[in-house]
């Protein structure tokens, strides 16, 4: 059912910092996704997991990462290459250059009024050039040639032009992340992004999973919109990109 359904209550959806011994899937979303629903998109080396390089830049690094783990990360990225970490709060070794660091928030479904959207169309591989153009103009976050394989992506067209889009990214156990939410500048102010978020969330709900998303902590307009739609803050987080020495 759609419309005003209440959020799915999942037994694994515990608050961050719960005393339960088992880690929550959203505490390490990339690791949970890469060992579960996205295992077919994973590359492993030692204790590390990452998405295939043309799918997504996210790498899952243990919180207690040691020298061997960082050596494996360097081997995966190659000399002068980079890795991107979501939610990693540990230290970065000497010699590694932090090229990007941003504080973020993780928001989860707390009563979204999800609904399909009659104007939304499913986007596939044939639309990737259009998607990459829209992403280049709006900068919603990383989108690579095979990111489309991570889940369902929906778009709304205006006069044949891809005006707005949103889709699914990481799929940690029992949850799916909504990502790539963007609207071309000339079509903003029409509520297209909000409609697409609710439509994507509806599909996630239909398979019994919980929608969630990440946003930059200082993007107050976006956070305010997501909270108005029915998302609630679960925890703060951090996004870090680092470059391999040499």
């Amino acid at each position: 059912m759609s419309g005003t359904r209440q959020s799915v209550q999942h037994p694994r959806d515990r608050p961050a910092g719960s005393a339960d011994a088992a880690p929550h899937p959203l505490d390490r979303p990339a690791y949970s996704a890469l060992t579960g629903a996205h295992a077919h998109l994973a590359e492993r080396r030692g204790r590390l997991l990452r998405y295939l390089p043309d799918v997504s830049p996210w790498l899952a690094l243990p919180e207690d990462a040691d020298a061997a783990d960082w050596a494996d990360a360097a081997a995966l990225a190659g000399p002068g290459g980079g890795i991107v970490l979501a939610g990693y709060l540990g230290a970065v070794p000497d010699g590694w250059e932090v090229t990007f660091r941003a504080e973020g928030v993780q928001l989860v479904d707390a009563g979204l009024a999800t609904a399909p959207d009659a104007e939304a169309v499913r986007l596939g591989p044939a639309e990737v050039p259009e998607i990459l153009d829209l992403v280049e103009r709006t900068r919603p976050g990383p989108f690579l040639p095979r990111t489309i394989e991570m889940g369902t992506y929906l778009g709304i067209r205006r006069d044949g032009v891809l005006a707005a889009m949103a889709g699914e990214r990481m799929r940690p156990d029992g949850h799916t992340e909504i990502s790539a939410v963007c609207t071309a500048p000339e079509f903003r102010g029409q509520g297209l992004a909000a409609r697409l978020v609710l439509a994507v969330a509806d599909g996630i709900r239909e398979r019994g999973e919980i929608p969630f998303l990440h946003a930059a902590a200082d993007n107050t307009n976006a956070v305010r919109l997501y909270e108005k739609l029915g998302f609630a803050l679960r925890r703060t987080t951090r996004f870090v990109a680092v470059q391999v020495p040499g």
Side-chain angles (χ1 to χ4, degrees):
M1 296 178 63
S2 303
T4 58
R5 292 180 300 170
Q6 295 300 305
S7 61
V8 177
Q9 296 300 310
H10 197 287
R12 287 162 288 202
D13 191 37
R14 301 184 309 279
S18 169
D20 194 309
H24 192 287
L26 296 188
D27 291 342
R28 296 183 64 194
Y31 178 83
S32 181
L34 289 166
T35 54
H38 283 165
H40 63 293
L41 300 175
E43 183 177 9
R44 178 186 290 273
R45 185 181 177 96
R47 295 200 298 166
L48 306 190
L49 285 164
R50 74 166 179 177
Y51 281 96
L52 297 173
D54 55 354
V55 172
S56 176
W58 301 119
L59 181 143
L61 186 69
E63 288 294 334
D64 63 344
D66 56 23
D69 295 316
W70 283 99
D72 285 336
L76 282 174
I83 62 173
V84 184
L85 307 169
Y88 179 73
L89 304 178
V92 176
D94 292 341
W96 288 72
E97 179 186 358
V98 176
T99 57
F100 176 81
R101 185 195 305 269
E103 301 303 316
V105 291
Q106 187 181 79
L107 305 167
V108 297
D109 179 2
L112 294 166
T114 67
D117 193 297
E119 198 176 3
V121 295
R122 178 82 177 256
L123 303 175
E127 286 74 43
V128 167
E130 288 181 281
I131 293 171
L132 293 175
D133 177 70
L134 180 59
V135 167
E136 177 65 24
R137 290 190 291 137
T138 57
R139 303 290 183 178
F143 197 100
L144 302 174
R146 292 179 59 197
T147 299
I148 197 81
E149 297 177 27
M150 297 179 78
T152 299
Y153 283 81
L154 301 178
I156 291 177
R157 293 186 178 278
R158 288 286 186 268
D159 298 323
V161 175
L162 183 60
M165 64 171 285
E168 301 174 355
R169 193 166 60 176
M170 290 185 283
R171 288 187 61 188
D173 187 25
H175 304 73
T176 295
E177 180 190 23
I178 297 176
S179 184
V181 181
C182 56
T183 304
E186 62 269 32
F187 297 108
R188 288 175 183 163
Q190 302 178 28
L192 302 183
R195 287 168 51 188
L196 287 169
V197 166
L198 294 175
V200 173
D202 194 70
I204 295 169
R205 287 261 199 89
E206 285 293 334
R207 59 174 184 258
E209 296 180 350
I210 300 171
F212 78 102
L213 50 77
H214 290 107
D218 61 359
N219 191 350
T220 54
N221 289 336
V223 173
R224 190 178 300 117
L225 170 63
Y226 294 141
E227 290 177 335
K228 184 177 180 180
L229 291 177
F231 286 96
L233 177 68
R234 177 178 179 269
R235 68 165 185 164
T236 58
T237 187
R238 181 176 296 154
F239 309 106
V240 181
V242 294
Q243 187 173 12
V244 178

